[in-house]
């Protein structure tokens, strides 16, 4: 169909040019005088072949662009080798002129600047060498907004220090021609990155270690995680091997893979030659590293090529970067994780020092806004930005690019739901890296239709999930759900957490959620998500009451973002009845976690829903009462639980009735209604026993024993021991702690402070094991009272202080007032009568306003103490008491926290 020109390789100038460049590079790598002279000869021969722009007649054609770029890179390579050779031979004066010309022609090429600085320094022109660095720094800042790279900065420091390493050392002569010939080719095809690699030293070491043990490694990870940049650095640091770096990310057709690899490694072929055979022949037995970058859309042709190369080239190692593995025998897949994130609690600049994700953000922010720095004022916002972006390097870089127009707080606010904000404006960045949305879209485009639907459905999750959750969203058999989820993991769209759960990185999750919202099945998907959370929290409500309590708490903590999302969707109009049931069944978890403020918002919203489901209505009223009680709203808690009791009686639901009676009795006890509380807990124990609910029966027995202590009943001791025994049999640390606290209360009131202290300590340990804050406050106040009774004043004050801070942070009104009273008692015993009176008066005033009486067992003692301290102060007592009535409890806590710092 046409004509073919048959010519020898020696007749083609580009072939001859590349051979000369290759020979120059190989000769210089010998590190001998003879090698440097041979390198100069080859460079001169190569330059003589360069006559004008390469392929000028066809430069407007797209197919020629890559070849023109490659040839120009070869010419720069020749120039670099020539300069190195001149310097190696001690001909620095000649190198100065040549380096000046090359620097002027290529002002952004830092390697030419470095060679010019070195040449000037060796000719005694130190000041001019430093001036060359300053000029390069200005150009980089003006053109790219960047600082010079670490190598150039290090050279400047060496020149300033006049280090001996910069002086010329005459290279040895080469006596063995074979050794020179067998020197490996230096890594000449590796792109020169324009920015430093940050936060990846550990990962670099891991990849290099793996490459020492295997011949095929695929670095996987989501788009934008930094696979290409890591591979560049691995290649750059590869010693004693030939290295070829081939970018396949922009190829559109599978048939272009082999020609692109062949050109990149310098294969010269004749017509009708099999290209793969030519590549095999070119590499042969050479010990080398072939880096194939961005192959996820070309897995099959790339895999075929790599398989043939590895069978025929025994010393070849291949490193590929891809969002999915090649699936070849012997392949090791290594997922590159996002950058390390800062801790959740960030209060100052010091908390972010050395955090890789923050270092990257700051470095790129300074490119957009010179002088940008992390301060104590913006530290929390910077930490929030990198956490929102899940440590994804590309996302961080794109976000930091807006530092010139947005302060960290503004940027963080706009990042939450605006994936489109993560776009860059660098003209020299690859198109695939200018928008995070484009990166994610390109990954999703590789999925099958079934995989894409599964991915979009997973966008309903706000946090991590397990296979059961993924299956609930897919509404498919477990085996199919597993296959689809595993496929998404292997294609780097789903990540595996340290605990073995699954999650979508935040930018990927936002994208999936956006797509889901636009789909016709969005409402159905959100409903399945909420139903899954309802089933999970129903199981958790049972699991949180027993020996599996700690494991269930950990599981629900991981699921908390999805609990919030499901409640927001359902109570926001998606399915209000489902939202009521979900809020009701979550009440015990919120109580154990001490999440009183957040829980109040959910249960109040749910309680306002006009549901016709009596079971759900009774459940949400009980949950609302259970949350209101520790917040100090005991009257409302009593009313809500009383309503729940009435509904449960009417519908004959003994299980719900037992639960509501337990909490009703708790509110009645707090209000000082001891007879009513005792009756509620007696009936609760009976109802729970009827339905086989051992947990609520034990809880009712423990709380009935607490009321018996306050009433001074004769059978209090046996009641408590029976309660402790029942709690231990149930293996629920919460109930064990509650039972032991009753034993401590009785010991304290009967004059055995050491026994009380020991039981309170054990109680505290139980509650700390499950993170139950309300219980910890109770145990700490008991420890304070016991320590005071035993004459240990410092311990009494410390325990009271910790209880006070915990109660204030949690919003536990009753616990805060009791801890202030304990604090006041300890201070009075230590001689601080006026401060003690302030605390006791403030607590008494707050109790009157909140209708929270002092627990009956402590009421006489507390009243006597207030009167005794008042008498000691005499006339001053009135003014101190009056001032205490107007101070906020929050201000009082802050003052005490400063005055009596923690000793822990």
């Amino acid at each position: 169909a046409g004509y073919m020109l048959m010519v020898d390789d020696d007749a083609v100038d580009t072939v001859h040019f590349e051979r000369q460049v290759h020979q120059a590079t190989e000769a210089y790598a010998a590190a001998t005088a003879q090698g440097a002279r041979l390198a100069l000869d080859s460079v001169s021969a190569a330059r003589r072949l360069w006559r004008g722009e390469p392929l000028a007649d066809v430069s407007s054609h797209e197919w020629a662009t890559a070849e023109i770029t490659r040839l120009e890179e070869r010419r720069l390579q020749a120039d670099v080798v020539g300069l190195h050779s001149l310097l190696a031979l001690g001909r620095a004066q000649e190198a100065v002129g040549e380096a000046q010309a090359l620097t002027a022609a290529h002002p952004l090429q830092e390697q030419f600047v470095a060679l010019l600085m070195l040449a000037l320094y060796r000719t005694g022109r130190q000041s001019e060498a430093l001036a060359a660095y300053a000029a390069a720094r200005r150009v980089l800042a003006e053109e790219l907004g960047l600082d010079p790279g670490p190598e150039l900065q290090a050279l400047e420091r060496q020149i300033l220090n006049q280090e001996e390493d910069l002086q010329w050392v005459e290279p040895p002569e080469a006596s063995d021609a074979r050794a020179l010939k067998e020197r490996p080719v230096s890594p000449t095809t590796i792109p020169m990155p324009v920015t430093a690699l940050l936060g990846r030293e550990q990962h670099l070491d891991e990849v290099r270690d793996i490459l020492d043990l295997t011949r095929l490694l695929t670095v996987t990870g989501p788009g934008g995680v930094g696979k290409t940049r890591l591979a560049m650095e691995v290649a750059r640091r590869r010693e004693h091997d030939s290295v070829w770096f081939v970018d396949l990310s922009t190829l559109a057709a599978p048939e272009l893979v082999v020609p692109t690899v062949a050109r990149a490694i310098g294969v010269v072929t004749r017509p009708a030659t099999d290209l793969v055979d030519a590549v095999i022949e070119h590499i042969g037995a050479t010990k080398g590293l072939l880096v194939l970058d961005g192959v996820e859309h070309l897995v099959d042709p790339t895999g075929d090529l790599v398989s043939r190369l590895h069978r025929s080239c025994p010393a070849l190692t291949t490193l590929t970067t891809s969002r999915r593995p090649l699936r070849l025998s012997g392949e090791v897949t290594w997922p590159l994780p996002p950058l390390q994130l800062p801790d959740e609690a960030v209060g100052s600049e010091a908390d972010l020092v050395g955090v890789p994700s923050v270092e990257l953000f700051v470095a790129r922010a300074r490119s957009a806004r010179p002088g940008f720095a992390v301060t104590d004022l913006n530290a929390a916002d910077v930490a929030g930005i990198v956490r929102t972006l899940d440590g994804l390097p590309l996302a961080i870089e794109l976000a930091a690019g807006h530092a010139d127009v947005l302060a960290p707080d503004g940027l963080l606010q706009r990042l939450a739901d605006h994936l489109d904000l993560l776009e860059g404006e660098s003209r020299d960045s690859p198109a695939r890296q200018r928008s995070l949305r484009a990166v994610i879209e390109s990954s999703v485009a590789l999925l099958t239709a079934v995989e894409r639907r599964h991915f979009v459905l997973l966008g309903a999750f706000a946090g991590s999930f397990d296979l059961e959750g993924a299956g609930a969203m897919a509404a498919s058999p477990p085996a199919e759900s597993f296959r689809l989820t595993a496929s998404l993991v292997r294609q780097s769209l789903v990540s595996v957490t340290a605990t073995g759960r699954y999650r979508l990185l935040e930018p990927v999750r936002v994208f999936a959620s956006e797509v889901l919202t636009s789909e016709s099945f969005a409402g159905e998907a959100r409903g399945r998500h909420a139903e899954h959370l309802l089933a999970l929290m129903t199981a958790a409500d049972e699991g949180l009451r027993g020996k599996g309590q700690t494991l269930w708490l950990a599981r629900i903590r991981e699921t908390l973002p999805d609990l919030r999302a499901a409640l927001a969707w359902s109570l926001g109009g998606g399915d209000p009845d489902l939202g009521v049931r979900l809020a009701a069944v979550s009440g015990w978890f919120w109580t154990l976690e001490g999440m009183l403020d957040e829980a109040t918002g959910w249960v109040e919203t749910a309680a306002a829903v006009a549901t016709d489901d009596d079971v759900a209505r009774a459940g949400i009223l009980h949950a609302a009462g259970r949350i209101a009680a520790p917040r100090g709203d005991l009257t409302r808690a009593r009313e809500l639980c009383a309503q729940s009791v009435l509904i449960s009686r009417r519908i004959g639901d003994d299980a719900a009735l037992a639960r509501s009676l337990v909490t009703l009795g708790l509110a009645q006890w707090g209000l000082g209604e001891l007879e009513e509380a005792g009756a509620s807990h007696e009936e609760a124990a009976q109802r729970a026993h009827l339905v086989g609910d051992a947990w609520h029966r034990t809880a009712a027995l423990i709380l009935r024993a607490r009321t018996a202590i306050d009433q001074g009943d004769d059978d209090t001791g046996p009641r408590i021991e029976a309660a402790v025994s029942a709690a231990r049999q149930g293996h629920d640390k919460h109930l064990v702690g509650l039972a032991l606290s009753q034993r401590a209360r009785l010991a304290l009131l009967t004059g055995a402070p050491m026994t009380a202290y020991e039981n309170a300590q054990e109680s505290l340990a139980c509650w700390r094991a499950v993170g139950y804050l309300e219980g910890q406050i109770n145990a700490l106040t008991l420890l304070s009272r016991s320590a005071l009774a035993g004459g240990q004043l410092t311990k009494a004050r410390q325990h009271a202080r910790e209880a006070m801070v915990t109660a204030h942070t949690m919003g536990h009104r009753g616990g805060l007032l009791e801890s202030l009273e304990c604090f006041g008692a300890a201070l009075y015993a230590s001689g601080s009568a006026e401060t003690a009176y302030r605390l006791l008066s403030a607590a008494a005033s707050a109790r009157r306003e909140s209708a929270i009486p002092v627990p009956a067992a402590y009421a006489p003692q507390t009243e006597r103490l207030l009167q005794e301290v008042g008498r000691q102060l005499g006339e001053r007592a009135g003014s101190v008491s009056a001032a205490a009535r107007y101070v906020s409890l929050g201000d009082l806590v802050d003052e005490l926290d400063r005055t009596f710092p923690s000793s822990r």
Side-chain angles (χ1 to χ4, degrees), residues 454 457-458 461 464-483 485-486 500-503 525 528-540 552 555-556 559 562:
H454 190 60
L457 286 171
L458 294 181
F461 285 104
S464 64
F465 53 92
D466 54 16
L467 283 175
E468 182 183 350
M473 293 308 303
S476 59
E480 175 68 4
S481 173
F482 170 75
R483 186 188 67 78
T485 304
R501 291 170 64 82
Y502 304 93
R503 65 186 291 262
R528 283 209 297 267
H529 176 259
E531 290 282 1
H532 168 65
L533 265 296
L534 177 60
L536 178 64
M537 293 308 298
T538 300
W552 270 104
R555 183 177 180 184
I556 302 305
T559 314
D562 283 284

Side-chain angles (χ1 to χ4, degrees), residues 747-770:
L748 180 62
L749 293 172
T750 54
M754 289 303 298
T755 301
Y757 194 89
E758 290 169 0
N759 280 276
Q761 274 189 317
E762 189 178 350
S763 174
L764 179 61
C766 288
W767 281 328
R768 278 188 171 152
V770 294

Side-chain angles (χ1 to χ4, degrees), residues 33-111:
Q34 180 184 349
R37 286 192 291 269
L38 290 173
L40 278 178
D41 291 342
S42 294
V43 168
S44 298
R47 285 172 173 167
R48 284 195 297 271
L49 290 166
W50 194 277
R51 296 183 292 275
E53 296 299 319
L55 304 182
D57 296 343
V58 291
S59 60
S60 61
H61 292 267
E62 184 177 351
W63 63 264
T65 302
E67 183 67 11
I68 291 171
T69 301
R70 190 178 65 80
L71 289 170
E72 288 174 341
E73 286 294 326
R74 288 290 190 273
R75 183 184 183 184
L76 290 177
Q77 177 187 336
D79 292 332
V80 171
V81 172
L83 281 174
H84 275 296
S85 299
L86 286 173
L87 289 169
L89 294 170
R91 295 157 63 177
Q93 193 63 53
E94 295 176 55
V96 167
E98 193 168 321
Q100 285 175 330
L102 288 168
T103 302
H106 307 282
L108 299 180
Q109 288 281 348
E110 295 188 28
Q111 53 189 342

Side-chain angles (χ1 to χ4, degrees), residues 294-617:
V295 306
E296 55 272 346
H297 60 307
L298 301 165
V299 164
D300 291 338
T302 303
D304 292 342
L305 173 61
V306 170
S307 180
R308 286 188 62 182
L309 291 179
H310 276 228
R311 287 198 302 268
S312 304
C313 304
L316 178 67
T317 298
T318 302
L319 169 64
T320 67
T321 70
S322 175
R323 297 170 202 174
R324 50 183 179 168
L326 299 180
R327 304 189 308 276
L328 294 179
S329 298
E331 177 186 22
V332 174
T333 303
W334 188 82
L336 176 63
L339 292 173
Q340 180 189 335
L341 296 171
D343 295 333
E344 287 292 334
V346 171
S348 67
E349 173 192 355
D351 295 330
L352 300 183
V353 173
V355 179
S357 56
V358 174
E359 289 181 344
L360 178 63
F361 178 83
V362 172
R364 302 301 180 257
R366 284 174 179 165
S367 300
R369 183 182 175 185
F372 177 86
V374 176
T375 66
D376 288 350
L377 295 178
N378 67 19
D381 293 320
V382 170
I385 289 169
V386 297
R387 277 200 297 265
T388 297
L389 300 175
D390 251 330
L392 204 60
L394 177 60
I396 292 172
E397 293 189 357
L398 293 174
H402 296 291
D404 57 338
V405 292
L406 287 172
D409 58 343
L411 182 56
L412 177 59
Q413 181 181 352
R414 286 164 177 78
L415 276 180
D417 299 306
H418 298 284
L419 195 61
D420 291 329
L421 185 67
L422 299 176
E423 294 189 358
E425 300 178 355
S426 299
R427 291 179 299 171
D428 59 344
S429 296
R432 63 192 172 97
Q433 294 182 356
R434 294 179 192 171
S435 162
L436 190 60
R437 182 182 294 279
V439 169
I440 299 171
E441 284 175 343
S442 67
S443 295
V444 175
L446 299 173
L447 303 177
T448 65
V450 177
E451 289 171 339
R452 183 187 181 278
R453 180 182 175 88
H454 190 60
F455 167 73
V456 171
L457 286 171
L458 294 181
F461 285 104
S464 64
F465 53 92
D466 54 16
L467 283 175
E468 182 183 350
M473 293 308 303
S476 59
E480 175 68 4
S481 173
F482 170 75
R483 186 188 67 78
L484 291 171
T485 304
S487 179
L488 293 178
V489 169
R490 291 170 183 141
Q491 297 187 69
S492 304
L493 284 168
V494 172
S495 302
V496 182
T497 71
T499 58
R501 291 170 64 82
Y502 304 93
R503 65 186 291 262
L504 280 66
L505 292 180
E506 186 59 19
V508 179
R509 188 201 65 78
V510 171
F511 177 86
S513 180
E514 286 181 2
V515 176
L516 176 60
T517 301
S518 67
E519 297 284 2
S520 60
F521 53 80
E524 178 189 351
R526 300 288 181 190
R528 283 209 297 267
H529 176 259
E531 290 282 1
H532 168 65
L533 265 296
L534 177 60
L536 178 64
M537 293 308 298
T538 300
D541 190 50
E542 180 71 25
L544 288 171
R545 296 179 167 95
K547 59 183 178 181
Q549 187 175 63
T550 303
L551 293 176
W552 270 104
L553 278 171
R555 183 177 180 184
I556 302 305
R557 285 165 188 157
E558 288 187 309
T559 314
L560 193 53
D562 283 284
L563 174 59
R564 291 167 175 151
L567 285 166
W569 175 82
S570 55
L571 293 175
D575 189 339
D577 281 355
L578 189 154
V580 171
R581 298 198 304 274
L582 182 55
V585 81
S586 303
W588 183 235
F589 166 73
W590 284 324
T591 300
L592 283 174
E593 284 293 274
M595 298 170 58
L596 301 183
D597 289 339
E598 179 177 349
T600 298
W602 292 123
V603 296
E604 293 295 339
T605 301
V609 173
T611 179
D612 295 329
D613 186 336
D614 284 337
V615 174
R617 185 67 183 160

Side-chain angles (χ1 to χ4, degrees), residues 9 76 101 116 134 165 178 191 252 265 307 356 401 420 461-462 568 592 607 610 656 827 884:
D9 288 347
L76 290 177
L116 173 59
D165 290 348
R178 274 188 315 173
I265 69 175
S307 180
D420 291 329
F461 285 104
L592 283 174
L827 288 175

Side-chain angles (χ1 to χ4, degrees), residues 526-827:
R526 300 288 181 190
R528 283 209 297 267
H529 176 259
E531 290 282 1
H532 168 65
L533 265 296
L534 177 60
L536 178 64
M537 293 308 298
T538 300
D541 190 50
E542 180 71 25
L544 288 171
R545 296 179 167 95
K547 59 183 178 181
Q549 187 175 63
T550 303
L551 293 176
W552 270 104
L553 278 171
R555 183 177 180 184
I556 302 305
R557 285 165 188 157
E558 288 187 309
T559 314
L560 193 53
D562 283 284
L563 174 59
R564 291 167 175 151
L567 285 166
W569 175 82
S570 55
L571 293 175
D575 189 339
D577 281 355
L578 189 154
V580 171
R581 298 198 304 274
L582 182 55
V585 81
S586 303
W588 183 235
F589 166 73
W590 284 324
T591 300
L592 283 174
E593 284 293 274
M595 298 170 58
L596 301 183
D597 289 339
E598 179 177 349
T600 298
W602 292 123
V603 296
E604 293 295 339
T605 301
V609 173
T611 179
D612 295 329
D613 186 336
D614 284 337
V615 174
R617 185 67 183 160
I620 194 60
L621 288 170
H622 170 241
R626 185 66 188 84
I627 299 300
R631 288 175 60 83
D633 199 348
L634 293 171
T635 301
R636 177 167 169 72
R638 180 183 58 189
E639 293 171 354
L640 290 167
C641 290
Q643 293 178 49
S644 179
V645 165
L646 286 175
I647 295 173
S648 299
R649 284 191 198 282
R650 177 166 54 80
I651 63 177
D653 189 340
D654 280 338
L657 180 57
R659 292 193 296 269
S660 299
L661 283 168
V662 166
T663 308
L664 174 61
L666 186 150
Q668 291 166 332
W669 176 84
L671 289 168
E673 300 168 357
L674 301 184
E675 291 294 335
E676 293 84 348
S680 293
H681 288 144
E682 291 279 3
E683 184 182 358
Q686 294 168 7
R687 298 282 181 174
H689 180 67
L690 286 175
V691 296
D693 185 347
W695 192 93
H696 279 94
R697 178 178 181 275
T698 301
L701 292 176
I702 296 171
L703 295 174
R704 180 64 187 88
R706 180 171 68 175
T707 302
I709 295 173
D710 293 322
Q711 290 177 313
D713 294 349
D714 294 336
D715 61 349
T716 299
R719 282 183 180 273
I720 291 175
E721 293 311 310
V724 171
S725 176
R728 290 197 189 278
Q729 289 175 18
H731 303 287
D732 182 301
K733 289 185 181 297
H734 162 74
L735 289 184
V736 173
L738 185 61
L740 289 171
S741 70
Q742 307 318 313
R743 185 188 277 173
R745 290 181 79 229
L746 181 62
L748 180 62
L749 293 172
T750 54
M754 289 303 298
T755 301
Y757 194 89
E758 290 169 0
N759 280 276
Q761 274 189 317
E762 189 178 350
S763 174
L764 179 61
C766 288
W767 281 328
R768 278 188 171 152
V770 294
Y772 180 43
L773 295 179
E774 185 176 359
Q776 292 177 44
I777 297 165
N778 181 21
L780 287 165
T781 54
L782 271 171
L783 285 169
S784 179
R785 293 182 187 277
S786 302
L788 181 62
Q792 298 177 299
L793 304 186
T794 301
K795 279 188 175 183
R797 190 180 69 232
Q798 290 171 350
H799 291 313
R801 179 196 178 281
E802 187 179 352
M804 173 193 73
V805 172
T806 304
H808 179 58
T809 302
M810 179 185 171
H812 194 298
R813 186 78 167 178
L816 176 58
L817 297 177
E818 188 171 351
S819 63
L820 286 173
E821 289 159 351
C822 290
F823 210 145
L827 288 175

